[in-house]
Amino acid sequence: MESTFPVFDPASPQAESIRDLFVQVLIISAGIFAIVSGLVCFALYRFRVTEKLPVQDHGSHKREIAWMAGPVIIVIWIAVISIKLILTINALPPQYAKGETGDEGIDVIVTGHQWWWEVEYPASGIVSANEIHIPTGKKLRVALRSEDVIHCFWVAQLTRKMDAIPGHENFVWLEADKPGTYQGRCAEYCGTQHAWMNFLVIAHDPDDYNAWEQREKQTATAPDEKLASDGAALFMKLTCSQCHAVEGTEAKEDFAPDLTHLASRAQLGAGVIKNTPENLRTWLANPQAIKPGCKMPNFKLKDEQLDQLVAYLETLR
């Protein structure tokens, strides 16, 4: 279930440090505002219009020192909690400190497209879209890339914002303390469907994650049922295979989301609708009606073709 206020509901040490810094700075700022506002109101009341001039005060060294000490303490306080945040976010996890990673030390590669997210796992070769699966209790290094414009990767409950910039690779740490599904979003306006460029981070217990990984490594097999078999043939005949990849078939292109395990995903269109057979049929009938401006055109498919394609795509689990 999605958190109502995800920034105040952290599920990782990084997100908790960000929340703590924000809350403490907010409290400090509120205190300063209350003191200054109170003094202004007091002065307005105490020294309201009068015929006499107020007593002239030429200052006091003690008061000047007090006014200086307060801000210095506040600045030091903010500096300390900011340093704690930086150290927490950038701390190397044990597998990196011990040199147990690959040459590049990248666990996940996330690439922003208009308007969806490509997800790659270099160690296993798994490729997915709009869902990032991670094991709990493990800090992962995520490489962020973009194929077109500037996007911004943000999972409020797990990590900080980080831009995905064309031609420039950025990195962010991703970690979850407990199993669950966490909402991710693009936080940088990137075009028509920026609002529907969402993704999910799904955190598993280590054993469940290993089981998921083994399922994802499996390639598609030819369907036995005739309607699905006809759908597989239609998929290859139409331009579907010229944009999408399905491991185990001749469809190898990566211009659009990898569909190898499409039926196991929770959402379609990067979060615009839930992934159900009925919604999938509606999407195939006219993607532009659901997500105007998306790169998938309306192929004006017949009802029979829609039935065949849905039957085939539902076998991709």
Side-chain angles (χ1 to χ4, degrees):
M1 182 177 179
E2 185 178 349
S3 175
T4 305
F5 298 104
V7 292
F8 294 111
D9 187 20
S12 74
Q14 295 94 320
E16 186 175 3
S17 294
I18 294 171
R19 189 273 313 272
D20 290 347
L21 176 62
F22 171 77
V23 170
Q24 292 185 58
V25 171
L26 182 64
I27 292 172
I28 292 170
S29 301
I32 294 173
F33 176 80
I35 292 171
V36 173
S37 299
L39 290 174
V40 170
C41 292
F42 173 77
L44 289 173
Y45 175 78
R46 176 67 177 81
F47 303 105
R48 57 191 182 278
V49 178
T50 178
E51 296 179 359
K52 296 182 180 180
L53 290 174
V55 178
Q56 299 301 301
D57 187 346
H58 297 287
S60 166
H61 292 304
K62 292 182 179 179
R63 276 182 288 179
E64 289 175 2
I65 292 173
W67 279 112
M68 290 174 59
V72 168
I73 292 172
I74 291 173
V75 170
I76 293 174
W77 182 3
I78 294 176
V80 169
I81 57 180
S82 298
I83 291 171
K84 177 180 178 292
L85 169 65
I86 293 170
L87 294 177
T88 301
I89 287 180
N90 295 315
L92 287 175
Q95 67 267 28
Y96 284 83
K98 296 177 182 178
E100 298 175 356
T101 61
D103 293 338
E104 296 184 2
I106 298 174
D107 297 297
V108 185
I109 300 172
V110 177
T111 305
H113 300 260
Q114 290 178 311
W115 289 272
W116 60 282
W117 299 91
E118 183 179 7
V119 183
E120 303 173 68
Y121 301 81
S124 61
I126 294 171
V127 180
S128 186
N130 303 318
E131 287 187 3
I132 304 172
H133 291 256
I134 63 174
T136 56
K138 185 177 181 181
K139 194 173 184 180
L140 304 178
R141 189 174 187 233
V142 180
L144 299 176
R145 302 169 182 173
S146 173
E147 283 294 323
D148 33 58
V149 299
I150 296 176
H151 302 284
C152 186
F153 179 92
W154 187 33
V155 191
Q157 290 182 269
L158 301 181
T159 190
R160 58 177 168 166
K161 295 179 182 179
M162 182 61 70
D163 284 344
I165 302 172
H168 177 79
E169 193 171 58
N170 279 336
F171 298 91
V172 69
W173 294 106
L174 191 61
E175 179 181 8
D177 291 332
K178 56 186 178 182
T181 299
Y182 303 97
Q183 180 69 61
R185 303 183 185 279
C186 177
E188 177 79 29
Y189 180 73
C190 54
T192 306
Q193 284 298 328
H194 159 71
W196 286 114
M197 189 174 170
N198 300 336
F199 61 95
L200 298 175
V201 176
I202 303 170
H204 305 266
D205 286 326
D207 291 341
D208 291 340
Y209 177 78
N210 292 333
W212 170 84
E213 190 175 51
Q214 293 306 312
R215 290 194 300 271
E216 288 291 307
K217 287 181 180 179
Q218 297 176 8
T219 58
T221 57
D224 298 327
E225 198 266 334
K226 184 178 186 306
L227 188 64
S229 180
D230 291 343
L234 181 62
F235 183 91
M236 296 301 169
K237 179 181 178 181
L238 298 175
T239 57
C240 309
S241 59
Q242 297 178 22
C243 291
H244 297 278
V246 178
E247 287 298 320
T249 72
E250 295 180 359
K252 302 293 184 184
E253 300 297 338
D254 60 357
F255 297 109
D258 187 292
L259 302 181
T260 306
H261 296 281
L262 171 68
S264 66
R265 297 173 193 160
Q267 300 174 337
L268 296 171
V272 68
I273 52 174
K274 292 182 178 180
N275 187 5
T276 66
E278 295 77 15
N279 285 343
L280 178 57
R281 194 179 197 280
T282 303
W283 172 265
L284 294 173
N286 186 5
Q288 297 298 320
I290 299 174
K291 193 170 182 176
C294 71
K295 304 301 182 182
M296 183 172 173
N298 180 1
F299 290 104
K300 303 186 183 301
L301 299 170
K302 299 178 181 179
D303 287 342
E304 181 183 8
Q305 293 176 314
L306 289 171
D307 292 339
Q308 293 170 344
L309 286 174
V310 170
Y312 169 58
L313 294 174
E314 283 297 309
T315 68
L316 302 178
R317 295 188 176 276

